[in-house]
Amino acid sequence: MPVAEKISSYFSGIGAKRLSRVEVKPDNSNQHEFNGINAFKEFFGSDKIRFKGTFIFLSDDQDKVDKIDGTLTWYDARAKHPTRSEFRLYYTSNIVIEAASQDDLLIIARTKADSLMIIVAPEGSTSEKQLLWLFGLDEVGDKFITRDFEYEDRELGFAGKYILSELGIELVEKDTSYFDELFNRFGNTFPTTKVFSEFSRSTVIGVSAIEEPDKTLLAWLEREELLFKALEAKIVSAKLKNGFGLVSSEVEEFISFSLSVQNRRKSRAGHAFENNLAKIFEVNNIYFAKGATTERSNKPDFLFPGLSEYQNLTFPADMLTMLGVKTTAKDRWRQILMEADRVSLKHLITLEPSISKNQTDEMIAQKIQLILPEPLLSTYTQSQQQTLITLSQFLNFLKIRQLKTLGI
């Protein structure tokens, strides 16, 4: 059995609080500090330290996510005083703090590389809820709450790894048992996502898409992510070693290559999710159409039982089912609302942990039934869980509906 990965692999400790007005609108134009920072003495000690830092504004709107490097200085402003100490953490002005508002969540995390991550998430957002869950925090106030992961370690699981990826943290994977087979099969080229999904599934044993579809789906997706990153690293390393051609065009070629890597990562994740769901539907003998065109050239990810039934206006609309598939649902779930006019209650499956209650309430109001793989349910509140269904429950719903339509 693989060893469960812990949050201590990435962070030694964190502190969290709500930003005050003076912290987001400081009078001093260039040098800034966080208030009530003495709580960090247990992590930082008493000596003056200059940290490299990464500032992240983690908005639910991907267009408003900001990330910038900077420096921070920890020191005792009363170091020469015989009896008193007053520790401060200074940082230079940056776009992340400028984008923050009073009462937004602030996380200061010391990484295992001995740098700092300064993370800000808007109050009431899904990003805020995910950070609170990741670091094992309940609601926080205007005083720093600290966590020392030497003593309060937490297993990451699928949800924790998902949130770390959202922060731009490259996960350290230790299982390399299928890398030789992977490289022998594909060399220095990317196969189609369908072929890659099939290969990745073939390396996962001890799962059942019929008996445990939720756990099976996550096991397939985790393995595919691991193998994809290994193949990507091999291909990118070879490209970097060989260079990008003539000096006059080297910068443009590098930028183009970098963008292609990022775009491939994003599109592959969505296609992998769809491919593995399709396999689960097939194994469970569910009839479906994938990527079929409905009204206004819209293409819902899945239609049940199929496109011909959807186009047949004599087929009862209340026997039709539409499923949207979104790896992330923070600001993208509304896209499915216009994808199948004949289906009033739309289903949406996502891998997003800890979506805010405001968002899930709005989904309910918009007649969207949210589906989550069962291991992710625990990242939601008890009241939210009452409105969610698992993949297994969705499959049972489809099977019952399918049996009813056989007599139509």
Side-chain angles (χ1 to χ4, degrees):
M1 293 289 291
V3 177
E5 193 156 13
K6 303 289 188 70
I7 197 168
S8 59
S9 299
Y10 301 92
F11 301 104
S12 57
I14 62 100
K17 63 168 290 189
R18 296 284 169 190
L19 284 167
S20 66
R21 185 195 65 79
V22 70
E23 287 171 315
V24 297
K25 301 292 183 183
D27 295 329
N28 190 342
S29 60
N30 294 314
Q31 293 290 333
H32 310 283
E33 66 179 0
F34 297 114
N35 295 333
I37 205 70
N38 273 350
F40 280 80
K41 187 177 178 181
E42 59 184 289
F43 301 139
F44 298 162
S46 301
D47 296 333
K48 184 176 181 179
I49 309 174
R50 189 174 177 85
F51 289 103
K52 292 182 178 179
T54 301
F55 293 79
I56 303 172
F57 185 81
L58 197 63
S59 171
D60 290 353
D61 183 347
Q62 293 299 311
D63 292 334
K64 295 181 180 179
V65 172
D66 288 315
K67 186 174 183 180
I68 190 169
D69 292 332
T71 58
L72 302 100
T73 303
W74 166 262
Y75 75 101
D76 183 359
R78 296 182 179 270
K80 296 182 179 180
H81 195 282
T83 60
R84 294 181 61 187
S85 61
E86 183 181 325
F87 286 93
R88 296 179 180 178
L89 184 63
Y90 276 109
Y91 60 92
T92 53
S93 60
N94 60 78
I95 58 175
V96 168
I97 303 301
E98 290 170 1
S101 300
Q102 183 177 347
D103 294 327
D104 283 354
L105 177 68
L106 168 70
I107 302 284
I108 300 179
R110 190 171 188 175
T111 73
K112 299 298 285 189
D114 216 22
S115 63
L116 297 183
M117 291 189 73
I118 314 300
I119 313 164
V120 177
E123 182 185 20
S125 65
T126 290
S127 296
E128 173 199 70
K129 193 167 183 289
Q130 290 176 343
L131 291 170
L132 292 173
W133 179 87
L134 175 67
F135 294 119
L137 300 167
D138 294 322
E139 187 51 65
V140 298
D142 59 358
K143 304 291 185 183
F144 270 110
I145 297 173
T146 60
R147 293 286 185 271
D148 186 339
F149 295 126
E150 182 180 353
Y151 306 105
E152 302 179 65
D153 212 353
R154 292 167 57 82
E155 290 187 8
L156 288 173
F158 187 94
K161 293 178 181 179
Y162 178 102
I163 299 169
L164 290 184
S165 295
E166 290 287 283
L167 292 171
I169 295 175
E170 290 291 332
L171 301 177
V172 179
E173 299 288 358
K174 301 179 178 65
D175 184 1
T176 62
S177 54
Y178 293 96
F179 285 7
D180 288 343
E181 185 178 355
L182 170 73
F183 300 148
N184 289 336
R185 176 77 65 93
F186 301 119
N188 277 351
T189 59
F190 285 112
T192 64
T193 53
K194 183 177 181 180
V195 168
F196 199 79
S197 292
E198 290 172 350
F199 169 75
S200 298
R201 285 196 299 269
S202 73
T203 69
V204 181
I205 59 175
V207 297
S208 171
I210 296 176
E211 295 178 2
E212 293 185 309
D214 296 79
K215 292 181 180 179
T216 298
L217 174 63
L218 293 187
W220 285 349
L221 290 172
E222 282 198 281
R223 179 58 56 80
E224 184 162 346
E225 181 76 6
L226 168 65
L227 295 179
F228 173 81
K229 285 188 174 180
L231 183 59
E232 179 189 61
K234 185 173 184 289
I235 293 173
V236 170
S237 294
K239 180 65 175 177
L240 293 175
K241 183 178 180 180
N242 293 331
F244 295 90
L246 298 175
V247 174
S248 60
S249 61
E250 196 172 38
V251 173
E252 288 76 9
E253 286 192 31
F254 172 78
I255 292 173
S256 176
F257 178 72
S258 178
L259 289 173
S260 71
V261 169
Q262 294 298 321
N263 290 335
R264 183 183 294 111
R265 282 187 174 189
K266 293 177 182 178
S267 65
R268 183 212 58 84
H271 288 306
F273 197 5
E274 293 175 19
N275 290 338
N276 287 301
L277 278 170
K279 186 62 178 181
I280 286 177
F281 296 143
E282 290 172 2
V283 170
N284 283 275
N285 297 314
I286 301 293
Y287 303 144
F288 67 91
K290 183 174 180 289
T293 302
T294 58
E295 302 85 3
R296 301 174 299 279
S297 299
N298 284 311
K299 292 184 178 182
D301 297 309
F302 291 95
L303 281 175
F304 308 89
L307 180 60
S308 60
E309 289 83 0
Y310 186 87
Q311 293 175 332
N312 179 5
L313 298 183
T314 66
F315 189 89
D318 60 3
M319 289 290 106
L320 295 170
T321 307
M322 189 217 83
L323 176 66
V325 180
K326 302 291 184 186
T327 54
T328 62
K330 285 179 182 175
D331 60 347
R332 301 174 62 233
W333 60 267
R334 294 176 185 83
Q335 294 172 357
I336 75 169
L337 291 172
M338 304 298 292
E339 289 183 346
D341 290 353
R342 293 194 67 199
V343 181
S344 58
L345 176 65
K346 294 174 169 60
H347 287 76
L348 170 67
I349 187 168
T350 185
L351 302 175
E352 186 97 55
S354 294
I355 295 176
S356 70
K357 190 174 187 302
N358 288 341
Q359 291 272 28
T360 55
D361 285 349
E362 188 175 349
M363 290 180 193
I364 294 170
Q366 296 289 348
K367 295 184 178 180
I368 291 178
Q369 173 60 65
L370 187 60
I371 306 167
L372 288 158
E374 187 273 335
L376 300 184
L377 286 181
S378 62
T379 70
Y380 289 75
T381 65
Q382 289 294 324
S383 63
Q384 285 177 302
Q385 290 181 37
Q386 302 305 313
T387 68
L388 306 175
I389 64 173
T390 64
L391 176 57
S392 178
Q393 290 171 321
F394 180 60
L395 289 171
N396 289 334
F397 168 81
L398 291 175
K399 290 174 182 177
I400 292 170
R401 182 165 279 195
Q402 187 168 290
L403 286 174
K404 291 181 179 178
T405 62
L406 290 177
I408 296 175

